[in-house]
Amino acid sequence: MHKTPIVSQFEVLRNSARILKNPLPFHHENFSKHGDIFRVKIGPNKEIAFTRNARLIKHLLQTQHKKYNKSTLQTQDLAKYIGHGILTSNGEHWRVHRRMVQPAFHKKKLSNLMGTILAAVKTEINHIEPNKTLDVHSLMSNLAFQVVAKSLFSNEDIQEEMGRLQSITESNQRMLIKEMRQPYLKWWFQLNGSLKNHHQLADEGRDILHRLIEERRISPVEKDDLLDMLLQAKYEDGTSMSKDQLIDEVLILFTAGHETTANALSFLLFLLAKNPEIQEKAFEEISNISLDGEDILIKITSLTYIQQCIEEALRMYPPAYIIDRVAIEDDEFEGMAIPKDTTILMSIYELHRSADFWIEPNTFNPDRFDASKKKEYQEYYYPFGAGPRMCVGNNFAMYEMMLTVALVLSKYKISTEMLQVTINPLISLKPAEVKLKFSP
């Protein structure tokens, strides 16, 4: 990989303020200048490779995935806040726990949760004040958090605990972003007590979940929710997850499950508000279906145009806008050597907006995801990642988003005076704010 273009450490330091705020323009400038693969020098003997090459991304995530692990950004830096669950682990630990968690997200299990998810979404949408301009991201963040909370803990009265847990996870995410984008200030974060404070917050969050899980363990009532499924999951020797491992997996579901969905829904509602003709077509689809009663999953999976709208929004604003991998052995790609320990960041954001693959890539066009065309995009569309480490909750997220959009559009026409949305990339791709008006 040494023959690929390199961006100097001086260039990184010169642009450090804008990289901290939003690294995507810096990435785009260098992709435009250097091509689909380049390296960035971030220290005397440390480099990171960036790519938007579709074939290399498939190589890393699918065809040669066994030669790559997640980087320490996730397995150490993120893990110190949310534990070693399936999002933040590698190797055998990841394989074992992925097999244990996966059944909780099978379609039959999700079908049983649809009533719970529907009720949670309805409750949050009822908080919308008609004919007022609202920051929809705050609304969607609360909605997505409550969906995860109710799916894990059924209808238990834990509003106060969940509010505190939400505050902790969001605060620790902001701290982690500072650590990732300003590694040269780690000494200062230690000196001023920031790291200690956020580690204490992480411990408080774990204590909250520990109390809730212990209450469930001793309860004689079966809830048939995600927590019950995790409690019943067994290793091959018939034993259950340890208390700490169970907390790790629940924290992962909260962190990954609510943040990414809230962000994706906010971008989607903005795009629908900016494109009234598309919004009207989506409204017509939902207006012919009642989501009350049984078979909720069958009903929402029939909303094919709303699904296309979501898929197109995920193309334009992929929650996992960057995916990282580290080579655990020497590898080669199309004649290019990839030495062991090479860190590669795959820009899904750049790939999803590449004119090499998408006609008018910056235009919101759900028709490109018509069922007859979807196969065209399999090689360069990764909203939930790809390969064995593809997001375990992708179906859960998709059904939740379809339900939310259907319920919002059945009740409101949405509009906005914003010309564009400002991106605030954190752990996932987030909008700075999305101000929408909801008219009955």
Side-chain angles (χ1 to χ4, degrees):
M1 190 163 271
H2 66 279
K3 293 182 180 180
T4 56
I6 189 162
V7 178
S8 70
Q9 189 176 3
F10 172 75
E11 276 297 300
V12 174
L13 291 173
R14 193 165 70 89
N15 288 277
S16 59
R18 60 193 291 247
I19 290 171
L20 177 63
K21 186 176 180 180
N22 178 3
L24 294 183
F26 182 73
H27 296 171
H28 182 71
E29 289 162 15
N30 284 290
F31 279 122
S32 299
K33 182 179 180 180
H34 299 300
D36 291 346
I37 307 172
F38 63 87
R39 292 170 294 147
V40 174
K41 198 167 184 65
I42 60 171
N45 299 302
K46 190 164 180 61
E47 298 173 357
I48 293 177
F50 283 75
T51 185
R52 63 179 181 187
N53 182 297
R55 297 185 307 282
L56 177 54
I57 291 173
K58 182 178 181 181
H59 177 93
L60 297 169
L61 296 181
Q62 294 178 283
T63 55
Q64 296 298 324
H65 67 89
K66 291 182 180 179
K67 295 180 180 180
Y68 296 87
N69 273 340
K70 288 194 170 188
S71 78
T72 56
L73 289 175
Q74 295 190 62
T75 59
Q76 293 180 18
D77 297 333
L78 179 58
K80 71 181 179 233
Y81 292 122
I82 61 173
H84 293 278
I86 58 172
L87 182 67
T88 56
S89 58
N90 283 316
E92 188 61 20
H93 183 90
W94 166 76
R95 278 186 286 274
V96 167
H97 292 97
R98 171 82 183 210
R99 283 196 295 267
M100 293 180 77
V101 172
Q102 183 104 36
F105 293 95
H106 286 168
K107 196 169 183 179
K108 185 178 179 181
K109 294 287 188 182
L110 292 180
S111 181
N112 295 337
L113 284 173
M114 283 299 109
T116 299
I117 296 173
L118 178 65
V121 172
K122 278 185 174 180
T123 298
E124 295 305 312
I125 289 176
N126 285 338
H127 293 157
I128 294 175
E129 295 183 62
N131 298 316
K132 290 187 70 174
T133 298
L134 308 170
D135 181 5
V136 78
H137 184 264
S138 175
L139 180 73
M140 290 300 109
S141 183
N142 289 333
L143 180 149
F145 198 89
Q146 290 304 317
V147 166
V148 175
K150 296 292 174 58
S151 298
L152 273 161
F153 296 103
S154 298
N155 293 314
E156 295 172 19
D157 184 16
I158 53 172
Q159 194 76 18
E160 185 178 339
E161 292 96 328
M162 290 301 98
R164 181 57 183 158
L165 187 61
Q166 182 176 1
S167 174
I168 289 170
T169 56
E170 291 172 353
S171 178
N172 281 349
Q173 180 182 164
R174 290 191 293 270
M175 185 65 226
L176 178 59
I177 288 296
K178 288 183 181 180
E179 292 180 67
M180 289 168 60
R181 295 186 189 163
Q182 294 177 303
Y184 45 85
L185 290 181
K186 187 172 182 178
W187 65 272
W188 173 244
F189 298 144
Q190 289 176 328
L191 188 64
N192 69 12
S194 294
L195 289 177
K196 181 180 179 181
N197 177 54
H198 285 275
H199 290 164
Q200 288 173 343
L201 285 177
D203 289 341
E204 182 188 345
R206 296 182 72 85
D207 287 342
I208 290 171
L209 290 176
H210 176 247
R211 290 195 301 273
L212 294 173
I213 290 170
E214 284 306 301
E215 288 173 9
R216 178 64 65 85
R217 279 188 194 275
I218 62 175
S219 171
V221 181
E222 283 196 17
K223 300 284 188 176
D224 198 28
D225 52 19
L226 289 178
L227 180 58
D228 260 10
M229 295 176 206
L230 293 176
L231 284 167
Q232 293 165 14
K234 304 293 183 185
Y235 294 107
E236 289 184 356
D237 64 1
T239 59
S240 302
M241 275 191 244
S242 69
K243 174 193 68 179
D244 284 340
Q245 188 61 50
L246 191 59
I247 291 173
D248 286 351
E249 300 302 350
V250 170
L251 269 173
I252 293 292
L253 295 179
F254 270 116
T255 305
H258 108 270
E259 180 72 18
T260 53
T261 305
N263 294 342
L265 280 168
S266 300
F267 285 121
L268 171 60
L269 293 176
F270 169 78
L271 291 167
L272 289 172
K274 291 295 291 181
N275 294 271
E277 70 290 348
I278 294 174
Q279 182 184 158
E280 188 64 25
K281 187 173 178 181
F283 167 72
E284 288 173 5
E285 183 176 63
I286 184 56
S287 64
N288 295 318
I289 293 175
S290 170
L291 292 175
D292 293 322
E294 303 294 321
D295 301 323
I296 298 170
L297 187 55
I298 293 173
K299 292 175 181 177
I300 63 168
T301 51
S302 71
L303 301 173
T304 55
Y305 188 70
I306 286 178
Q307 181 173 337
Q308 288 171 222
C309 291
I310 294 170
E311 289 168 336
E312 173 69 340
L314 291 173
R315 179 191 69 81
M316 296 184 71
Y317 299 102
Y321 62 102
I322 290 281
I323 299 175
D324 67 28
R325 289 295 184 268
V326 178
I328 56 176
E329 60 182 84
D330 290 341
D331 192 19
E332 183 181 273
F333 169 74
E334 296 183 357
M336 178 181 70
I338 303 176
K340 181 182 177 181
D341 296 327
T342 300
T343 297
I344 305 176
L345 300 186
M346 295 164 271
S347 179
I348 305 304
Y349 183 87
E350 284 283 328
L351 178 64
H352 280 190
R353 289 178 179 247
S354 171
D356 292 342
F357 303 119
W358 310 93
I359 298 170
E360 296 183 349
N362 294 316
T363 299
F364 181 58
N365 177 17
D367 288 339
R368 69 172 103 234
F369 284 96
D370 181 89
S372 64
K373 302 174 184 176
K374 281 185 184 179
K375 284 189 177 180
E376 298 175 27
Y377 305 130
Q378 288 179 350
E379 303 292 307
Y380 39 90
Y381 180 64
Y382 300 112
F384 296 104
R389 298 206 68 144
M390 186 175 180
C391 173
V392 70
N394 62 325
N395 287 328
F396 181 98
M398 182 61 75
Y399 299 151
E400 177 187 348
M401 287 189 283
M402 292 174 74
L403 264 178
T404 302
V405 173
L407 289 171
V408 168
L409 293 186
S410 67
K411 199 168 182 181
Y412 296 106
K413 179 176 284 189
I414 50 178
S415 58
T416 184
E417 294 183 359
M418 293 177 64
L419 297 178
Q420 60 184 22
V421 64
T422 300
I423 295 174
N424 179 24
L426 297 178
I427 302 300
S428 61
L429 195 65
K430 179 181 178 181
E433 64 176 5
V434 180
K435 292 188 174 180
L436 304 182
K437 183 179 179 180
F438 294 82
S439 305

